[in-house]
Amino acid sequence: QQPVQSPQAVILREGEDAVINCSSSKALYSVHWYRQKHGEAPVFLMILLKGGEQKGHEKISASFNEKKQQSSLYLTASQLSYSGTYFCGTEATSGTYKYIFGTGTRLKVLA
Amino acid sequence: DAGVIQSPRHEVTEMGQEVTLRCKPISGHNSLFWYRQTMMRGLELLIYFNNNVPIDDSGMPEDRFSAKMPNASFSTLKIQPSEPRDSAVYFCASSYYRAAYEQYFGPGTRLTVT
């Protein structure tokens, strides 16, 4: 079953913060986050493994709460380059190699 | 280093025709994934290979779809016969060893079946 992301879309001004959530109905082993710009391929941002770790990539960080079967992506002081569609990809069991991508969140950063 | 290479980038074909999409993964990567992306269904995993062996093809829509990986540097996704509902962007991605490592996506093939 496809993970549900929220919000579906968000518009920000440069410098503002945003949070994107990814919720699964299944227990999760790992979560990937990707950003896709229009007409381009998805680009990997980060992976979080079971254990509740939090990771960062520039001004983008993420957390993973396996008990709640949720992950959140935090965008701090957003830049124009952050615009795109963000997808979470979830893996239910280690070693299945089977990633199911979320519904996507469209983010637009305005100058 | 060259990234994942896909060809063709665009394909327009008529219903009933055979379509073959090609992918060259990043050298040294031993996992390869085929995805399909549409507005309605989002990004769907069709099949993935590990060390050239198909591991899970449960995402392949039906028997009209088949995928092969004859060696570590080449994979094909074939649709025969094609139907208008197969119109989508097809991505190939590769990673080192397993999905826990980052997947590198190719530029995609935009398929239009008329």
Side-chain angles (χ1 to χ4, degrees):
Chain A
Q1 204 164 10
Q2 193 174 28
V4 177
Q5 290 183 229
S6 62
Q8 288 186 328
V10 59
I11 299 175
L12 301 172
R13 292 281 179 188
E14 257 188 308
E16 292 182 338
D17 302 339
V19 180
I20 299 172
N21 300 303
C22 173
S23 294
S24 173
S25 59
K26 291 185 175 182
L28 300 176
Y29 172 73
S30 68
V31 179
H32 279 184
W33 283 97
Y34 288 80
R35 176 171 60 209
Q36 184 179 28
K37 293 186 179 288
H38 183 68
E40 298 180 9
V43 174
F44 176 83
L45 294 175
M46 64 189 77
I47 179 173
L48 301 104
L49 301 177
K50 189 174 180 179
E53 63 180 297
Q54 187 158 346
K55 281 196 171 182
H57 173 76
E58 298 176 345
K59 292 181 180 178
I60 300 174
S61 62
S63 62
F64 177 28
N65 186 327
E66 67 263 27
K67 287 183 180 178
K68 292 186 177 180
Q69 298 162 193
Q70 291 179 346
S71 178
S72 294
L73 187 71
Y74 307 93
L75 300 139
T76 305
S78 58
Q79 305 168 13
L80 294 175
S81 62
Y82 287 3
S83 293
T85 300
Y86 290 78
F87 293 98
C88 63
T90 59
E91 182 188 20
T93 305
S94 171
T96 62
Y97 304 83
K98 197 165 184 173
Y99 269 83
I100 301 174
F101 280 86
T103 49
T105 296
R106 293 188 309 279
L107 185 133
K108 176 79 173 174
V109 181
L110 303 176
Chain B
D1 275 343
V4 175
I5 298 172
Q6 290 186 247
S7 65
R9 294 292 308 276
H10 301 273
E11 177 81 35
V12 180
T13 191
E14 292 183 348
M15 182 174 65
Q17 296 297 307
E18 177 181 301
V19 175
T20 299
L21 311 182
R22 297 172 177 80
C23 175
K24 177 178 169 57
I26 292 173
S27 177
H29 283 187
N30 52 7
S31 292
L32 184 138
F33 307 81
W34 281 101
Y35 291 92
R36 177 173 68 176
Q37 187 175 39
T38 61
M39 287 295 294
M40 291 297 294
R41 300 176 67 91
L43 198 59
E44 301 174 278
L45 176 64
L46 300 177
I47 184 171
Y48 67 86
F49 296 83
N50 195 42
N51 292 323
N52 312 337
V53 176
I55 303 299
D56 189 330
D57 64 354
S58 60
M60 297 285 260
E62 47 198 273
D63 292 344
R64 298 184 297 107
F65 285 70
S66 62
K68 293 182 180 179
M69 192 165 186
N71 56 62
S73 58
F74 184 65
S75 177
T76 59
L77 178 68
K78 184 180 292 186
I79 307 172
Q80 180 185 21
S82 58
E83 296 183 2
R85 58 192 168 122
D86 301 331
S87 297
V89 180
Y90 291 81
F91 289 104
C92 172
S94 70
S95 72
Y96 175 67
Y97 181 49
R98 59 162 299 196
Y101 291 82
E102 61 183 282
Q103 295 185 29
Y104 291 82
F105 280 73
T109 295
R110 181 173 295 277
L111 174 66
T112 303
V113 183
T114 60

